[in-house]
Amino acid sequence: MNVTATPALPLGDDALILSHRLGEWAGRAPVLEEEVALANIALDLLGQARVLLSLAGDEDELAFLREERQFRNLQLVEQPNGDFAHTIARQLYFSTYQELLFEHLAAGESELAPLAAKAVKEVAYHRDHAHQWTLRLGDGTDESHARMQHALDALWRFTGELFEPVEGLEAAPWPTLHDTWTTRITSTLEQATLTVPEGPQRGGWAAGAGRQGLHTEPFGRLLAEMQHLHRSHPGATW
Amino acid sequence: MVTTTALEEELLALAGSVPDPELPVLTLAELGVVRGVQLTAPGRVEVQLTPTYTGCPAIEAMSADIERVLHDHGIPDVEVRTVLSPPWTTDAITAEGRRKLAEFGIAPPRPTGPAGGPVAVDLTIRCPHCGSTDTTLLSRFSSTACKALRRCESCREPFDHFKEL
């Protein structure tokens, strides 16, 4: 498989894997409108993944024929959907990050600029969706508040990795992006009567490891489901 | 400066006359997604098409429809290329396109603010059925990524709103 060394690969993997996770909600979401919303966000991410992975090689080969250690996505996006609060916490952390990074890339001249300029407008809706749900769950019932806080705390240790410089994008202002991200997350959580988690933003065993191809245990099962059909029926079309 | 020949103008009009596969009341020209048509050699044209949303699944059907229309017009070799830059915006939908959307029961997008501004969700959106401005947002995402789902508080009908991008 020919793979070009480009930051489009890790960013494309983020979009692909989160798209797959969100797609797992189909048929299971709490209400029909949310089912449709999550599927639409997944579709936006899949569109991004297709453009980005095509900059790195053949999109289908990259998605369906790589082994776990060859994926460069953040560990955050591969985390299981959990309850609805976990999905929203993951969306809030990731879409806030993605919007900031794509705003930066859209202002540049790299091969990523056209996609970033296009996608940043879509991601603004993803972030707004996560923001509104965080407010509703955090400032809702005791049960929804407790679940949202638990989800935010549980995923916090995967957020440090977001600001490890991506290979090929070392020049991006990572510390500034991190500061702005923290400000935005803090603002949303305060409005939602939630508490910004205090623990470390990474586990000692896996600092920034998704970008190096080290993934968490649930990722293998995600890949098995995502790749099974393509590997069982090579070249199949419909 | 790229000059456009009369034939290219004609082919552009033909490509633009193709109906949108998901909103067949609109043509691709009214949606503002056909960026240009160039004759690159005798019998060979390239068409630039831009997606509304990056993941829009209709883009493949649009490409196939454009190819068919131009083949029927005697162009044997048609290549439809997807371009992302500059990104499509709902401001590219023509006035006629907006009128048709409303007639079809879809509230047209409002003009977008300056780039980088907040996502507008609270300004008045008129019910395409009864014209009332008393409408509320049900979901930011509806039957397709480009629409939001709203309900009219006057006639109680739900409706799609082509959201601003």
Side-chain angles (χ1 to χ4, degrees):
Chain A
M1 189 187 308
N2 289 320
V3 185
T4 308
T6 161
L9 184 69
L11 303 188
D13 284 348
D14 286 348
L16 175 69
I17 299 306
L18 185 56
S19 170
H20 189 83
R21 276 290 184 228
L22 291 172
E24 291 172 0
W25 273 107
R28 298 187 176 93
V31 289
L32 185 60
E33 287 81 1
E34 249 341 273
E35 172 130 345
V36 170
L38 294 171
N40 271 313
I41 295 171
L43 183 62
D44 284 346
L45 290 166
L46 188 63
Q48 294 173 17
R50 294 189 62 182
V51 174
L52 288 165
L53 293 183
S54 294
L55 292 172
D58 179 273
E59 54 175 322
D60 288 330
E61 285 185 10
L62 287 169
F64 297 124
L65 298 178
R66 274 183 300 162
E67 302 293 334
E68 178 177 334
R69 289 270 177 129
Q70 295 172 295
F71 278 83
R72 293 291 178 264
N73 55 281
L74 296 161
Q75 292 176 351
L76 174 67
V77 299
E78 73 201 32
Q79 296 311 306
N81 286 334
D83 61 10
F84 189 66
H86 273 78
T87 290
I88 293 302
R90 193 182 59 201
Q91 284 304 107
L92 182 70
Y93 289 158
F94 182 75
S95 59
T96 305
Y97 158 80
Q98 205 188 23
E99 186 180 26
L100 287 168
L101 182 57
F102 281 6
E103 275 171 5
H104 166 74
L105 294 173
E109 308 260 307
S110 76
E111 63 171 354
L112 302 180
L115 180 272
K118 174 92 189 143
V120 74
K121 301 199 293 177
E122 299 161 8
V123 174
Y125 277 102
H126 305 176
R127 185 169 75 86
D128 186 55
H129 172 262
H131 169 80
Q132 299 293 343
W133 267 112
T134 302
L135 298 187
R136 273 174 85 174
L137 295 175
D139 199 12
T141 64
D142 288 346
E143 169 87 8
S144 72
H145 178 93
R147 285 198 188 208
M148 192 65 217
Q149 188 65 56
H150 175 66
L152 291 162
D153 293 346
L155 292 173
W156 186 249
R157 66 196 165 103
F158 296 107
T159 58
E161 186 187 9
L162 273 55
F163 303 99
E164 290 287 321
V166 172
E167 204 175 321
L169 296 178
E170 288 85 354
W174 295 99
T176 311
L177 294 178
H178 196 167
D179 288 347
T180 312
W181 182 88
T182 305
T183 305
R184 291 191 182 174
I185 295 293
T186 302
S187 163
T188 297
L189 298 191
E190 282 177 354
Q191 280 182 65
T193 73
L194 292 158
T195 309
V196 179
E198 283 182 349
Q201 281 186 284
R202 53 169 61 96
W205 50 274
R211 296 287 190 225
Q212 276 81 55
L214 292 179
H215 296 284
T216 54
E217 187 264 341
F219 188 51
R221 291 195 297 278
L222 179 152
L223 282 190
E225 183 178 292
M226 188 176 86
Q227 297 185 335
H228 165 261
L229 192 69
H230 189 91
R231 287 181 184 252
S232 302
H233 304 279
T237 57
W238 62 18
Chain B
M1 179 78 190
V2 180
T3 54
T4 310
T5 65
L7 177 59
E8 285 170 337
E9 289 286 352
E10 188 187 338
L11 297 176
L12 179 64
L14 274 171
S17 70
V18 168
D20 179 280
E22 286 187 8
L23 294 168
V25 290
L26 285 193
T27 66
L28 298 188
E30 286 161 352
L31 192 60
V33 294
V34 183
R35 287 271 164 88
V37 174
Q38 285 89 38
L39 198 65
T40 52
R44 183 186 171 87
V45 299
E46 184 189 290
V47 182
Q48 288 94 36
L49 185 65
T50 195
T52 53
Y53 279 67
T54 317
C56 180
I59 199 94
E60 284 168 22
M62 290 180 188
S63 297
D65 289 347
I66 290 174
E67 284 176 22
R68 186 176 40 74
V69 165
L70 297 188
H71 285 159
D72 290 350
H73 198 68
I75 306 292
D77 193 353
V78 179
E79 189 197 357
V80 181
R81 203 161 59 81
T82 304
V83 293
L84 294 180
S85 187
W88 181 83
T89 150
T90 39
D91 291 342
I93 301 176
T94 64
E96 176 66 2
R98 283 159 201 273
R99 192 190 62 74
K100 287 185 178 175
L101 277 176
E103 201 175 272
F104 192 59
I106 298 170
R110 296 156 294 176
T112 59
V119 175
V121 288
D122 294 327
L123 294 176
T124 303
I125 295 159
R126 192 175 288 278
C127 170
H129 305 300
C130 74
S132 166
T133 54
D134 185 14
T135 67
T136 49
L137 180 70
L138 294 180
S139 176
R140 275 162 188 74
F141 297 89
S142 183
S143 53
T144 62
C146 57
K147 298 192 224 86
L149 184 64
R150 299 186 73 87
R151 179 178 55 215
C152 175
E153 300 299 343
S154 298
C155 71
R156 306 299 292 169
E157 282 290 321
F159 65 91
D160 270 339
H161 165 226
F162 205 121
K163 67 194 181 204
E164 295 74 25
L165 190 72

